[in-house]
Amino acid sequence: MSFIRRSGTLLDGLSRPALITCALALPMIAAAHEGEEPEEGRGDTVVITGVNTQGTGSGTKTDTPLMETPQSITVIDGEELALRNAQSINQALGYVAGVSPNQRGGMVTRYDQLILRGFAPGVYQDGMRLLAGPYSMPQIDFNRVERIDIVKGPASVLYGNSTPGGLVNLVSKLPEATAFGRVELQAGNYDTLRAVADLNQPLDREGRLLFRVVGGWQKGDGLTEGTFSERYHVSPMVTFAPTQQTSLTLLAAYQRSPSGGGYSGVPAYGSVLSNPFGELPRDINTGDPGYERYDHKQKAIAAFFRHEFNDSLSFRSNFRFQNNQLSYRQLYVAGFARTAAGNSDFSTIIRGGGGADEDFDTLTLDNHFAAKFATGPPQHNVLVGIDYQNITGENFQQFNTGVASDPLKSIPNLSLFKPVYGGTMPSLDLTLLSAGYVNT
């Protein structure tokens, strides 16, 4: 029997019928042994196997066990992520209480759009917030993720700029002392292909120098006609640990998504509401495959330093520099066209469109001391540190709506039941859509 520890609670794998059967059997067992004298020296040993949550650190940034942390924290370890084949935050958090994932629908995968206790949570990696422009927010490939910690409720005392609902912290895979390797190949419907690798190797006998590299590639067609997604990534890392009390890990990562799948929606009339012209096809694309694009590049370097002065005092310093570049173009539903009589034409939509060019650099630092001491019977675990975030960059976006006299800005209407794609589209060059645009 296995147990999983979540939010400081042990949840066993017994089904409800099994629990009912056990409950009914308990009175019978008690009656059978009633009146019997306890055997002298008799002892029972119960062994519980579960997830080791010691030292997760997301709730307090210390090694305080979850059972002693006065906050609701859910931990999803790598074994569960692998068993469920979770490949995004939305997929991984689908069963977490208080979380409402897939806020734009299950077919939109380029962003992690979810709600945690009524708020859009901040997403962190290794305790440092992932920041970029409004359209170039980083999305970490799950082949790089070892564990997910979901901290519920306010945590700004430790994480600074965070939301009242809580936060999601992705814990990166890091070098380990034991050599191993894993290669995974997947194929599925919608022409889905995925190949990932994870190789770990100590570089010396003493285990002072450790190396690990993860990488992968995936692609697949979307539910919407004419859409597809693709991503590839590589992340080498090395750990130098001269003693058990000191270690330094250096990590680099490159990830590119040359296509991000579909993002256009559909009108309510014809999908969830009745349309006088009929029901819309499930795979209709209200955008235009020939115009839309999503090319996102992520580059990052990180360092994690740890030193334990003694059993009571330790210091940690985490650093990450990340660059996000994005070229994004999109068409979307802006409303129904009008008939000659001025009524809504439920067979034809007006579309808006445009895009954004973004280039952002983000620097994050997290330094803290942790001290353990006692004042009589009470035991204390004190944390003192500083968290720093800095983001600089450029975001230019330009959007227009409907047919215009200027062909560079004009967006043709689309027939919902006889769609014709292509034709005159707005310019992909945003400098031609706005005189004020200067790409530096």
Side-chain angles (χ1 to χ4, degrees):
M1 184 186 302
S2 63
F3 289 79
I4 300 175
R5 183 187 296 274
R6 286 184 179 173
S7 303
T9 305
L10 289 175
L11 307 175
D12 63 25
L14 292 176
S15 64
R16 180 174 296 180
L19 289 173
I20 295 174
T21 302
C22 292
L24 293 175
L26 285 175
M28 301 178 187
I29 296 174
H33 292 277
E34 188 175 357
E36 293 184 6
E37 294 294 332
E39 297 180 14
E40 196 168 323
R42 180 179 176 180
D44 295 328
T45 302
V46 178
V47 179
I48 299 177
T49 304
V51 178
N52 180 14
T53 56
Q54 180 77 14
T56 57
S58 291
T60 62
K61 291 189 178 181
T62 67
D63 59 357
T64 303
L66 287 181
M67 289 290 290
E68 300 176 10
T69 302
Q71 190 160 14
S72 179
I73 303 172
T74 298
V75 178
I76 305 177
D77 67 345
E79 182 179 358
E80 182 177 343
L81 294 175
L83 288 174
R84 292 169 47 198
N85 195 30
Q87 297 178 19
S88 69
I89 291 179
N90 279 323
Q91 293 180 6
L93 272 59
Y95 300 101
V96 176
V99 175
S100 179
N102 296 315
Q103 289 298 300
R104 199 177 170 91
M107 59 171 267
V108 176
T109 59
R110 66 177 65 169
Y111 298 117
D112 299 314
Q113 296 170 309
L114 65 154
I115 297 296
L116 172 58
R117 289 191 173 182
F119 296 86
V123 178
Y124 292 71
Q125 185 181 18
D126 303 313
M128 297 175 286
R129 188 160 188 176
L130 294 171
L131 297 170
Y135 295 102
S136 60
M137 288 300 296
Q139 187 184 59
I140 306 301
D141 191 282
F142 261 43
N143 187 45
R144 297 166 52 192
V145 176
E146 182 70 33
R147 186 184 77 239
I148 307 177
D149 299 336
I150 303 97
V151 180
K152 302 175 184 179
S156 293
V157 172
L158 293 178
Y159 291 92
N161 184 16
S162 185
T163 62
L167 61 91
V168 177
N169 183 41
L170 308 177
V171 181
S172 298
K173 292 180 177 178
L174 296 177
E176 300 180 15
T178 304
F180 62 84
R182 177 180 65 90
V183 176
E184 183 178 330
L185 303 174
Q186 294 183 5
N189 54 355
Y190 295 99
D191 293 331
T192 299
L193 297 173
R194 182 171 183 260
V196 296
D198 182 358
L199 304 176
N200 184 88
Q201 179 63 52
L203 300 181
D204 64 347
R205 294 182 178 179
E206 293 77 15
R208 297 176 180 174
L209 197 60
L210 312 174
F211 176 77
R212 187 173 185 176
V213 59
V214 297
W217 167 83
Q218 65 187 56
K219 69 175 289 292
D221 294 337
L223 175 64
T224 304
E225 181 181 358
T227 63
F228 69 95
S229 61
E230 183 180 10
R231 174 190 291 168
Y232 51 87
H233 69 279
V234 62
S235 179
M237 61 204 83
V238 61
T239 294
F240 174 60
T243 66
Q244 292 184 351
Q245 291 75 31
T246 304
S247 67
L248 173 65
T249 298
L250 302 177
L251 180 150
Y254 177 80
Q255 180 175 308
R256 183 181 180 185
S257 301
S259 179
Y263 200 68
S264 299
V266 296
Y269 291 96
S271 55
V272 295
L273 300 176
S274 61
N275 187 313
F277 293 92
E279 185 177 342
L280 295 175
R282 293 186 63 213
D283 62 348
I284 185 172
N285 188 344
T286 56
D288 195 290
Y291 175 80
E292 298 174 345
R293 72 185 185 196
Y294 179 88
D295 189 357
H296 189 186
K297 302 175 184 177
Q298 302 174 207
K299 293 168 283 187
I301 55 173
F304 310 104
F305 176 74
R306 174 190 62 87
H307 180 67
E308 297 177 0
F309 297 95
N310 49 51
D311 293 339
S312 302
L313 181 64
S314 63
F315 173 74
R316 291 178 182 269
S317 178
N318 298 331
F319 155 87
R320 182 173 64 238
F321 174 81
Q322 187 167 38
N323 172 261
N324 284 270
Q325 298 178 3
L326 174 70
S327 179
Y328 163 64
R329 302 293 183 271
Q330 184 73 42
L331 298 184
Y332 52 87
V333 179
F336 286 106
R338 294 287 181 177
T339 63
N343 299 320
S344 296
D345 180 359
F346 291 102
S347 68
T348 305
I349 57 171
I350 302 172
R351 294 182 294 179
D357 290 330
E358 298 184 358
D359 188 349
F360 281 88
D361 293 330
T362 305
L363 175 65
T364 53
L365 296 170
D366 182 18
N367 302 317
H368 55 262
F369 286 90
K372 299 178 182 179
F373 60 93
T375 54
Q379 303 289 324
H380 307 280
N381 197 338
V382 177
L383 184 78
V384 178
I386 183 171
D387 180 279
Y388 175 79
Q389 303 173 1
N390 182 63
I391 179 170
T392 59
E394 179 184 66
N395 163 39
F396 183 83
Q397 49 185 290
Q398 179 66 34
F399 296 92
N400 303 292
T401 302
V403 178
S405 58
D406 186 352
L408 295 177
K409 302 179 181 179
S410 184
I411 304 173
N413 295 342
L414 180 72
S415 172
L416 291 174
F417 299 94
K418 294 181 180 179
V420 177
Y421 301 105
T424 303
M425 288 288 160
S427 174
L428 292 171
D429 186 354
L430 297 184
T431 61
L432 301 178
L433 300 181
S434 174
Y437 173 48
V438 179
N439 191 344
T440 58

